[in-house]
Structures are given as C-alpha cells and as structure tokens.
Amino acid sequence: MSAPVAIPLGINLGFCTKRWVTPELWAPLVRERLGLDLVQFSLDLVDPMWPDAVVERHAAVIRRQAAAHGIAIHSAFIGLAHYTFNQLLHPDPAVRDYAENWLVRAYRFAAAAGITRVGGPLGAVAARADGSEADALDEADYEELVGRMLRLAEQARGLGLSELYVEPTPLRREWPWTIPQARRMMADLGGSAVPWRLCVDWGHGTFRPLYPEPEAEMERWLVELADVITAVHIQQTDFALDRHWDFTVPGAVDPVAAAALLRRSGVAPSPVFLEVFYPFEHDSASILKALEDSMNTLRRAFG
Ligand code: FE
Ligand code: MN
C-alpha cells in the first residue's frame, strides 16, 4: 500500500487580529507553540490602504521574520475588516472602483512581502428593502465583476503573483454560492493573466439554510470542483451558522472524515488552513491553548 497523500496543514492568521499583530509576535508562536511552518496571512493585520511607506516597511519585516522562523506564507486573504464592506458588488460604482484599487494595493503589499497568492470573497450586493433575496446576481453586475477580475489578474501578473482566489461564501447576495455558479465563473476566467482559483471553506459549503444536506454538499463542492480548488479553510461548525470555531468546541465537522474526503476528492495535495475567529473580549492565553489542542487534533486526523 502506498502512503496516503500528504495534506499540508497551516493556519490563517485571522486569529491574530488585534492580538499578535506583527510578525515578531505571530511568527514564533506559529512555529514554536503551534508547530507549523505554513500560514495564510490575513489582511486584518496590514491594511493595504496605509501609506505606501508604512505598507512597504511592514511587508519587509514580514518577509524577513517569516524566513527567519522557517515559515512559508502561502497566500494573503482579505480578512474581516475589508470583507465587511460590499467590495466589488457595492451599489455605488465608485466604491467598486475603490475595492478594485484596494486589491491592487493588496497585491503590491503581497509582492513586497514575498507572498505570491492573494484572495478572499469578492463582494456583496445590497439587500432589498423588503428583505427578499434574489437567487441570482444581475447579469450586468456579473459581467462587470468578471471584467474587474480579469483586470485584476493583469495587475497581479505585472507584480509577479502566481494565483488569485475567490472564496465562495454561503450568502445569496455574494457570488458564487453554488457549484454551477463557481464552475461558470472559473470558465469565464479561463483566459485570465494569472489563474483565478477557489478556496473553499468547510463552514460555507455546509451552511444548512442554503444547502439542506450539508455533508453531501461539502463532498459535492470538493469532488465536482477538484480541478479548480487549490486551497481549503477548515473550521469546527454546527452547519447552522458559519461558526469558525476551533476544534476544542464540539461540532459537526469530523477531522478524520474531512481528511478522507480531501484525499478521495483529489483536493488533498492542496493546503488546508485552520480558520478560526474569537470574540475580541476572549482572553489571549486560552486562545493559544485551544489552538494548540486544535492543531494536535488536526495533525492526528490528517496523518
Ligand atoms: Fe474562510
Ligand atoms: Mn467563513
């Protein structure tokens, strides 16, 4: 019997928000306390709209500290601060332009920090006054979005980046939230200057209000889109909301079954990042303990 395909395991630095905000703080704890050599940077730690000189200084320190601690930074993801705005699908085209420029600046930061991939959710359309939600994005909005993504890929190529990501979220007002939508978007981006790929999140594909059979739905996302998924977010969750719990919290995600599914679908050689968020008022010491335990659980399961 041949050895099972290795699943590179890392952590998204979203948990560091407001706490371990510089690489002098996060790099040693990721390496020594959590035993990891792979991270996904969070743009909740560096705002690409900071003045150029500040962004460049932070990028240089991140590059240096990651190397000094033997940590590879796979990618930089948008984080929660910028996600809060409606980004590339805001009703005001001037805000969409701002969001496009935000991403170009994020690419510039990433390139300076030695990070070659950038991604996250794309944006959200506004809710309707009566609270009803359309099943589909307006076709003109979709075309404009794809146009922006193609432009962004040109910028990314110019800066030497290798890959851009869309993270599908479980919201009808964001895009894409179904497998056929994701497939269509990937096809429409076929001629992109650098490849656009998917980062799927275990708490998104399993959100029961949108997907009545959560376990089967996660399997479908991974199996049907295996050729365009090159990164995964894992979290503990209950399928009732997108919880982003760590694995010390009881929930519906079985890490052993998750590892088996990643291997069965063929996604397994792609890295998997634990992505957890804590209330700001939660104390930092107990977070580190919970993360340590969670990483041990995942390492055991992923073999
Ligand atoms: Fe995620
Ligand atoms: Mn999420």
Side-chain angles (χ1 to χ4, degrees), residues 13-251:
L13 296 183
F15 76 93
C16 294
T17 306
K18 272 187 198 285
R19 301 175 194 274
W20 302 284
V21 295
T22 63
E24 291 88 344
L25 294 169
W26 61 253
L29 84 80
V30 162
R31 188 67 211 232
E32 285 141 39
R33 187 87 191 251
L34 305 182
L36 294 170
D37 59 7
L38 180 69
V39 299
Q40 181 172 71
F41 189 79
S42 168
L43 292 160
D44 282 337
L45 301 178
V46 168
D47 181 348
M49 302 312 277
W50 288 346
D52 289 352
V54 179
V55 172
E56 281 160 25
R57 183 161 50 75
H58 280 258
V61 178
I62 289 165
R63 183 194 274 262
R64 210 165 45 236
Q65 287 285 334
H69 287 87
I71 295 171
I73 309 180
H74 169 271
S75 45
F77 262 52
I78 282 170
L80 296 179
H82 186 63
Y83 172 65
T84 301
F85 298 98
N86 289 44
Q87 301 166 267
L88 298 174
L89 290 170
H90 192 281
D92 180 353
V95 178
R96 296 179 185 195
D97 291 344
Y98 176 93
E100 190 177 329
N101 181 46
W102 191 99
L103 284 170
V104 173
R105 291 186 63 91
Y107 300 167
R108 210 172 291 151
F109 155 76
I115 305 168
T116 62
R117 306 174 187 87
V118 177
L122 298 167
V125 297
R128 293 170 174 163
D130 68 357
S132 65
E133 292 192 343
D135 257 344
L137 195 63
D138 189 85
E139 200 56 30
D141 284 334
Y142 175 76
E143 293 297 334
E144 195 214 70
L145 180 62
V146 168
R148 287 185 192 275
M149 294 170 82
L150 291 170
R151 270 208 305 273
L152 283 163
E154 293 283 346
Q155 295 285 334
R157 182 172 60 185
L159 290 160
L161 301 193
S162 63
E163 201 171 16
L164 297 175
Y165 282 104
V166 182
E167 180 173 358
T169 55
L171 278 78
R172 287 173 196 276
R173 286 176 292 103
E174 299 188 3
W175 207 259
W177 59 270
T178 70
I179 294 167
Q181 290 162 8
R183 178 55 77 191
R184 180 188 170 197
M185 179 174 268
M186 292 296 106
D188 290 342
L189 293 164
S192 180
V194 299
W196 277 93
R197 293 288 182 258
L198 300 174
C199 174
V200 294
D201 185 313
W202 225 277
H204 298 182
T206 54
F207 178 57
R208 199 184 304 276
L210 279 192
Y211 318 112
E213 292 177 88
E215 307 260 17
E217 189 67 15
M218 200 64 220
E219 168 137 17
R220 272 196 291 270
W221 276 89
L222 289 164
V223 169
E224 290 180 27
L225 296 166
D227 60 316
V228 281
I229 294 173
T230 56
V232 175
H233 286 165
I234 198 156
Q235 55 164 300
Q236 186 53 282
T237 183
D238 58 2
F239 304 163
L241 285 172
D242 178 26
R243 301 290 188 182
H244 290 279
W245 289 329
D246 65 45
F247 281 89
T248 66
V249 181

